[in-house]
Amino acid sequence: MKNLINLFIVPFFLFYSVQKEKGLALSGHAVSVDLLKKRDRIMYLFFKVEKNSSGNEKIILQQSTVSEGKLKLSPVFDRSDVQQGDFIITIEAADGKEMAKQLLKDPLNPEMEVYEKEGISRHKASLKAAEFSVRFSYSENIRAVKIEKATEAGVILLFTQKL
C-alpha cells in the first residue's frame, strides 16, 4: 500500500513542479528575477586629497567605477562618531535628497599601530597627500557626491561634483 501511494504521489509532484516552472517563464516572472540580479551593483569612488601650503585640503575625484555585486554590509553614519578632521561623504539624488552618507576618518592624519618593546601603541601620522576610496550601493538616481570636513567651528564643504 505504501509503495502504491509513492508510485502515484511522486510523479504527481514532479509533474506539478515542472508545470510551475514553465508557468513562471511564460508569465514573465523569470525575466523579473534576472532584472533584480542586474540591479545589484556597487559604485566605487576613488579620491586623492592634498594639503596645500596654506593648510587647505584639495580633493580630486580620480575615478568612479560601477561593478556587479551587492554590499554585504552598509556603513551606518552616526553623527556622534564624527571627530575633528574626519570627512563626511554624501551621495545625493537628482532631486537633491541625501541617498547615502559615510564617515571617513581623517585621511591626512591616519592612526598607525607601532609595535615596541612595551607593546603595541598608536601614533598619528601627518601626511601632505593621501588617497582614499568609498563604496555605495549603486542606483540610477545618483547624481552628485559631496565631501565635508568636520572642524572645531562645524562642518565645511570641501568638494562637490556631479556624477
Side-chain angles (χ1 to χ4, degrees), residues 60-104:
I60 301 167
L61 176 64
Q62 292 181 319
Q63 182 182 6
S64 70
T65 305
V66 177
S67 66
E68 296 295 322
K70 186 174 182 180
L71 287 178
K72 294 178 184 167
L73 180 65
S74 291
V76 178
F77 179 78
D78 187 6
R79 191 75 167 158
S80 63
D81 291 341
V82 177
Q83 296 175 354
Q84 185 176 342
D86 292 347
F87 289 178
I88 301 169
I89 302 163
T90 308
I91 299 294
E92 296 178 345
D95 59 0
K97 288 186 180 178
E98 193 176 282
M99 293 183 68
K101 199 175 230 187
Q102 279 188 24
L103 177 66
L104 178 72

Side-chain angles (χ1 to χ4, degrees), residues 6 53 61 125 151 155 159:
N6 287 338
S53 59
L61 176 64
T151 63
V155 177
F159 177 84

Side-chain angles (χ1 to χ4, degrees), residues 11-141:
F12 174 75
F13 283 120
L14 287 173
F15 178 75
Y16 179 72
S17 66
V18 169
Q19 292 301 320
K20 188 175 179 182
E21 287 179 15
K22 285 183 181 178
L24 284 175
L26 292 176
S27 65
H29 290 283
V31 174
S32 66
V33 170
D34 289 338
L35 288 176
L36 286 175
K37 287 180 183 176
K38 289 181 182 177
R39 288 188 194 151
D40 289 337
R41 293 186 279 177
I42 302 171
M43 173 179 247
Y44 296 90
L45 300 173
F46 299 92
F47 295 96
K48 182 175 186 175
V49 60
E50 294 177 347
K51 191 179 280 191
N52 60 18
S53 59
S54 63
N56 296 328
E57 289 89 0
K58 180 182 176 187
I59 299 176
I60 301 167
L61 176 64
Q62 292 181 319
Q63 182 182 6
S64 70
T65 305
V66 177
S67 66
E68 296 295 322
K70 186 174 182 180
L71 287 178
K72 294 178 184 167
L73 180 65
S74 291
V76 178
F77 179 78
D78 187 6
R79 191 75 167 158
S80 63
D81 291 341
V82 177
Q83 296 175 354
Q84 185 176 342
D86 292 347
F87 289 178
I88 301 169
I89 302 163
T90 308
I91 299 294
E92 296 178 345
D95 59 0
K97 288 186 180 178
E98 193 176 282
M99 293 183 68
K101 199 175 230 187
Q102 279 188 24
L103 177 66
L104 178 72
K105 295 295 178 185
D106 190 355
L108 292 173
N109 297 306
E111 272 192 12
M112 305 288 209
E113 289 185 349
V114 179
Y115 179 74
E116 299 170 342
K117 290 182 181 180
E118 299 83 35
I120 296 177
S121 62
R122 294 179 181 258
H123 300 286
K124 280 206 173 205
S126 182
L127 305 172
K128 292 196 182 262
E131 293 181 351
F132 63 93
S133 65
V134 292
R135 60 185 181 177
F136 295 94
S137 291
Y138 179 76
S139 170
E140 297 292 329
N141 295 333

